[in-house]
Amino acid sequence: MNFNKTTYLTLALIFGATGLHAQDVKPPEKTEKTVSEEIEIIRPYKPVLAEAVKLRRSPDLDNIKTYKAKFNYQLTDRKLALNTDIQKLQAQKVADEREAELLNNYAKGGFGNLGTFLAEAYVGMGKDPALQTGVFFRHFGQSGKLNKQDENRQQLSAFVRSIGESATLNGKLNYQRHGLYFYGINDADPSLNPNPEKQAFNFFELEGEAISKFTADPDALSYAAKVNAYMFNDRFSAKESSFTLNGYLNKRISSFNLGLAASAEFGKTKDLNTDVSNNLLRVNPYIKLQAGGVKIVAGANITQEFGTKSATRIFPAITADFTLIPDFLQLFGEVKGDVNRNTFKDLTDENPFLNQNILIKNSIEKLSFSAGIKGTGGPGFGYKAKVYSREITDMPLFVNNFDSFNKFDVIYDFGKTKILGLEGELSVQVSDNLKWTGKLNMEDYKAGTEKESYFKPQLRLSSNFTFVYNKKLTFDAAVMMQDDSRAKVFTANPLNPDGTYPPVPDFNNESIVTVKGFVDLGLGANYKINNKFSAFVKTNNLLNNNYSRFLYYRLNGINIFGGLTYSF
């Protein structure tokens, strides 16, 4: 047994030493590849109750009584509201916008050569769009190179406008003054007018108007009424007063309109040796058809002259418009007749160098025809062209007085003056920055008893051009051209013993002279300095032509003036 134990112990030590020697072997090299695993540890759920939900005492399981709570009900009768619609979003209130500063008022002043002085102002009251009032003032004066070639104009006017629910009311008060001299000079004998007389015109006007507002009612009744009164006088003894009342009624019946226009004009012109009462009553009943691009107005113009002269006349009043291509092409025509009431005010507006004791007489336009086309050729392009024929009896004409060559008398062509004319208008607006307009008039006059229709040019052309360079700088140009005209010069006194002109002129005592035509070119520019101040400059008669519109009266040469405008 001891041998076996010794043997077993010896073998164990040998194998143990061998095992220890085996651990000294070099371990294998590590590789870059590694293996990672996710280990999820699940723990048992242990709920944790908040202190608020814990039972503070154990229930009595032996108590089996039923607990009945006591309730008090109060029933109300209410309507069931079904709020099934999508709730509308409530827009948030926007902060009040800063009120825009309106600069509708302005004051303007300027000066230049030829003694030019300009003062102008406009002041509007309030911002209510339904109630508008304003005051306007203007003064413009010039002094030419000729003896007493001075002229000045003043205007002061005020207006009020009220826009109501059914009608618009307008009122105007106006005063105008025009001062000048009879500076006319005969180049053949410049010494004939060494001390020109002074002349001044004063005009006072009051006007009121009421107009019904448009309504889409097919059976609407529209109306308008206007009253105008004025007083006019010169520096000498001429005076004129006028009162005019106009009325208009129109009843719409579907596509038809029945209407009546009427006016009453009362006028009186008085001078040293003349006293004329010139009154005129007009009544114009009509019927109008407007449907399908066709508009026809057929009526009559019934006139009654009374006062110094009395006469009743009936004229046709027919107009027609046919739309061939909407907004592009429209045909129109007119046949009419009328009594043209001549006034001292209108005659002096055309020619301010009138003599004293002017004869006032109405002209009769017996029958006039006109036809033409109008329309647009696209955005910014418009046109109108027409031909017309007129026949006028007693057409007023200006002639130089025999004794005072620099003053004009008014004569009447007692025959029938026939006028054949062509009129054209064109408007082109390339953009908001560029606009051009032009107008052409060509007229052929065939005088009645006179040789010529004096101071009536056969060709007149006018054009305007506007160019906006940028928001601050604007340019404008205007040109006016007029053909030659004719004037009558008396070689002997043509007046009757009572101081009137004979109905049939004596061609042996007169000669016809030519008043040359002219071209007047003007240029202007405006520069906006800021929202309140701007500067302007304007040039008239840039070609410096010494032309005349009336015999012996040369107009000023080149004129340049400029100034500032203040807006507030």
Side-chain angles (χ1 to χ4, degrees), residues 33 57 73 347 405 423 482 505 535 547:
K33 183 176 181 181
R57 61 181 180 176
Y73 298 97
L347 294 173
F405 74 97
E423 180 180 304
Q482 183 172 296
Y547 64 89

Side-chain angles (χ1 to χ4, degrees), residues 355-377:
N355 198 3
Q356 294 176 274
N357 300 312
I358 294 298
L359 176 63
I360 301 299
K361 186 178 182 181
N362 294 334
S363 302
I364 311 301
E365 188 172 350
K366 291 187 176 180
L367 198 61
S368 297
F369 301 90
S370 64
I373 59 174
K374 61 181 178 180
T376 60

Side-chain angles (χ1 to χ4, degrees), residues 488-520:
K488 176 193 284 192
V489 176
F490 294 107
T491 58
N493 192 347
L495 298 179
N496 295 323
D498 60 355
T500 61
Y501 282 89
V504 179
D506 186 356
F507 297 141
N508 296 322
N509 295 332
E510 62 186 46
S511 62
I512 306 298
V513 298
T514 299
V515 180
K516 293 184 179 180
F518 61 88
V519 176
D520 192 332

Side-chain angles (χ1 to χ4, degrees), residues 257-526:
N257 288 264
L258 298 177
L260 176 67
S263 67
E265 303 177 35
F266 305 91
K268 187 178 183 62
T269 306
K270 187 176 182 180
D271 209 330
L272 287 176
N273 301 323
T274 59
D275 189 354
V276 178
S277 178
N278 186 11
N279 307 317
L280 179 62
L281 177 66
R282 289 190 184 94
V283 178
N284 175 216
Y286 67 89
I287 181 172
K288 179 170 69 173
L289 169 65
Q290 184 172 0
V294 177
K295 183 172 71 173
I296 299 176
V297 180
N301 184 19
I302 306 171
T303 64
Q304 173 65 54
E305 293 179 86
F306 58 98
T308 304
K309 181 180 179 181
S310 179
T312 303
R313 295 180 176 86
I314 300 177
F315 305 97
I318 303 172
T319 61
D321 293 272
F322 303 95
T323 301
L324 301 183
I325 304 176
D327 298 330
F328 286 93
L329 180 59
Q330 184 177 355
L331 302 179
F332 64 91
E334 183 178 29
V335 179
K336 69 173 184 177
D338 201 0
V339 175
N340 298 326
R341 183 170 173 267
N342 296 313
T343 65
F344 183 58
K345 171 68 169 56
D346 293 338
L347 294 173
T348 53
D349 286 345
E350 185 177 355
N351 183 355
F353 308 105
L354 294 187
N355 198 3
Q356 294 176 274
N357 300 312
I358 294 298
L359 176 63
I360 301 299
K361 186 178 182 181
N362 294 334
S363 302
I364 311 301
E365 188 172 350
K366 291 187 176 180
L367 198 61
S368 297
F369 301 90
S370 64
I373 59 174
K374 61 181 178 180
T376 60
F381 180 81
Y383 64 92
K384 179 181 179 181
K386 72 174 182 178
V387 293
Y388 56 89
S389 174
R390 303 171 63 189
E391 185 178 292
I392 302 176
T393 303
D394 295 336
M395 187 175 74
L397 299 171
F398 300 113
V399 294
N400 294 80
N401 184 269
F402 177 74
D403 296 323
S404 301
F405 74 97
N406 59 342
K407 295 183 179 180
F408 291 86
D409 292 329
V410 177
I411 64 172
Y412 295 86
D413 193 335
F414 296 99
K416 297 180 180 178
T417 302
K418 297 181 180 179
I419 306 172
L420 181 63
L422 170 66
E423 180 180 304
E425 296 181 33
L426 195 63
S427 174
V428 179
Q429 185 168 354
V430 179
S431 64
D432 293 339
N433 299 335
L434 184 61
K435 184 178 181 180
W436 174 81
T437 59
K439 184 175 182 180
L440 171 68
N441 290 88
M442 298 179 64
E443 294 178 318
D444 180 33
Y445 289 86
K446 291 185 178 180
T449 58
E450 297 288 338
K451 282 186 176 181
E452 300 281 351
S453 294
Y454 309 117
F455 300 108
K456 302 292 184 182
Q458 295 190 357
L459 174 65
R460 287 173 292 149
L461 175 66
S462 61
S463 178
N464 292 277
F465 175 82
T466 303
F467 174 62
V468 180
Y469 181 75
N470 53 36
K471 293 182 179 180
K472 290 183 174 292
L473 186 59
T474 303
F475 297 96
D476 61 87
V479 61
M480 182 173 59
M481 184 176 68
Q482 183 172 296
D483 194 14
D484 296 345
S485 61
R486 303 292 183 266
K488 176 193 284 192
V489 176
F490 294 107
T491 58
N493 192 347
L495 298 179
N496 295 323
D498 60 355
T500 61
Y501 282 89
V504 179
D506 186 356
F507 297 141
N508 296 322
N509 295 332
E510 62 186 46
S511 62
I512 306 298
V513 298
T514 299
V515 180
K516 293 184 179 180
F518 61 88
V519 176
D520 192 332
L521 176 63
L523 296 176
N526 288 273

